[in-house]
Amino acid sequence: GILCIPNAKILAVDDTEMNLFILRGLLKRTQAQLDLAGGGEECFAKTKEKKYDIILMDHMMPEPDGIATLHMIREDEDNPNKETPVIMLTANAIEGVKEGYLAEGFEDYLSKPVEVDKLESMLAKYLTQNN
């Protein structure tokens, strides 16, 4: 069945507009409340203003990249998203990479191009933990 999460607040971060467009399309049927950020700085600014249930973060972005942005959020004591699950979106899906991302503090990762069923099952996994 289709994952329907109209109360979920999701932030998607990618420096490529086309990727954000694709993510928005993939998430449309979930009815989630989706905010978009075009890079690490914009993402960090948005995380200071609003509590999200989950953040989808691209890895390869101009400074700060996804890993640096995650650290900025985690190290910001007053950030409402200090503990929010962050999923890394990466084209770098080599064996062993997942451990590296988890060691950096990401909850999980999705390889690009993102598949809708994998995305929905991951959202379901992390959103049910919180609610």
Side-chain angles (χ1 to χ4, degrees), residues 3 7 10 16 19 21 25 29 50 53 58 97 104 109 114 116:
L3 180 69
N7 298 323
I10 299 174
T16 309
N19 290 342
F21 180 79
R29 67 182 196 179
K50 180 173 170 183
D53 296 305
D58 183 35
V97 162
E104 291 285 357
Y109 83 98
V114 175
V116 69

Coordinates of all heavy atoms in Angstrom, one line a residue, residues 3 7 10 16 19 21 25 29 50 53 58 97 104 109 114 116:
L3 N 2.3 4.6 1.3 CA 2.6 5.2 2.5 C 1.9 6.6 2.6 O 2.2 7.5 1.7 CB 4.1 5.4 2.7 CG 4.6 6.0 4.0 CD1 4.3 5.1 5.2 CD2 6.1 6.3 3.9
N7 N 1.1 14.1 8.1 CA 1.6 14.9 9.3 C 3.1 14.9 9.3 O 3.7 15.6 10.1 CB 1.1 14.3 10.6 CG -0.4 14.3 10.7 OD1 -1.0 15.3 10.2 ND2 -1.0 13.3 11.2
I10 N 9.1 16.8 6.3 CA 10.4 16.3 5.7 C 11.1 17.5 5.1 O 10.5 18.3 4.4 CB 10.0 15.2 4.6 CG1 9.3 14.0 5.3 CG2 11.3 14.8 3.9 CD1 8.8 13.0 4.3
T16 N 21.1 20.2 -6.7 CA 20.6 20.1 -8.1 C 19.1 20.2 -8.1 O 18.4 19.4 -7.5 CB 21.0 18.8 -8.7 OG1 22.4 18.6 -8.5 CG2 20.7 18.7 -10.2
N19 N 17.1 17.2 -9.0 CA 17.0 16.1 -8.0 C 15.9 16.5 -7.0 O 15.1 15.6 -6.5 CB 18.3 16.0 -7.3 CG 19.4 15.3 -8.1 OD1 19.0 14.7 -9.2 ND2 20.6 15.5 -7.8
F21 N 13.3 18.2 -7.6 CA 12.0 18.1 -8.4 C 11.6 16.6 -8.4 O 10.5 16.2 -8.2 CB 12.3 18.6 -9.8 CG 11.0 18.4 -10.7 CD1 10.0 19.4 -10.7 CD2 11.0 17.4 -11.6 CE1 8.9 19.2 -11.5 CE2 9.9 17.3 -12.5 CZ 8.8 18.2 -12.4
G25 N 8.4 14.7 -6.5 CA 7.5 13.8 -7.3 C 7.4 12.5 -6.6 O 6.3 12.0 -6.4
R29 N 2.8 11.4 -3.4 CA 1.7 10.5 -3.0 C 1.7 10.2 -1.5 O 0.7 9.7 -1.0 CB 1.8 9.2 -3.9 CG 2.9 8.3 -3.6 CD 2.9 7.1 -4.5 NE 3.8 6.0 -4.0 CZ 3.9 4.8 -4.6 NH1 3.2 4.6 -5.7 NH2 4.7 3.9 -4.1
K50 N 12.5 25.2 12.3 CA 11.4 24.3 12.2 C 11.9 22.9 12.5 O 13.0 22.5 12.1 CB 10.8 24.3 10.8 CG 9.6 23.4 10.6 CD 9.0 23.7 9.2 CE 8.0 22.8 8.8 NZ 7.5 23.1 7.4
D53 N 10.7 15.8 10.9 CA 10.6 14.4 11.4 C 11.8 13.6 10.7 O 12.3 12.6 11.3 CB 9.3 13.7 11.0 CG 8.1 14.4 11.7 OD1 8.2 14.5 13.0 OD2 7.2 14.9 11.1
D58 N 21.5 15.3 0.5 CA 22.5 14.9 -0.6 C 23.9 14.9 0.0 O 24.2 15.7 0.9 CB 22.3 15.9 -1.7 CG 23.2 15.5 -2.9 OD1 23.4 14.3 -3.2 OD2 23.7 16.5 -3.6
V97 N 30.4 1.6 2.3 CA 30.2 3.0 2.4 C 29.2 3.3 3.5 O 29.3 4.3 4.2 CB 29.7 3.6 1.0 CG1 29.0 4.9 1.2 CG2 30.8 3.7 0.1
E104 N 29.6 8.7 10.6 CA 29.5 10.2 10.6 C 28.2 10.7 11.3 O 28.1 11.9 11.7 CB 29.4 10.7 9.2 CG 30.7 10.5 8.4 CD 31.8 11.5 8.8 OE1 31.6 12.4 9.6 OE2 32.9 11.4 8.2
Y109 N 21.2 5.4 4.6 CA 21.5 6.0 3.3 C 20.7 5.4 2.2 O 20.3 4.2 2.3 CB 23.0 6.1 3.0 CG 23.5 4.8 2.3 CD1 23.6 4.7 0.9 CD2 23.9 3.7 3.1 CE1 24.1 3.6 0.3 CE2 24.4 2.6 2.5 CZ 24.5 2.5 1.1 OH 25.0 1.4 0.5
V114 N 17.1 7.5 -6.6 CA 16.3 7.0 -5.5 C 15.1 6.3 -6.0 O 14.4 6.8 -6.9 CB 15.9 8.2 -4.6 CG1 14.9 7.7 -3.5 CG2 17.1 8.8 -3.9
V116 N 11.3 4.8 -5.4 CA 10.2 5.2 -4.6 C 9.9 4.2 -3.5 O 9.6 4.6 -2.4 CB 9.0 5.6 -5.5 CG1 8.4 4.3 -6.1 CG2 7.9 6.3 -4.6

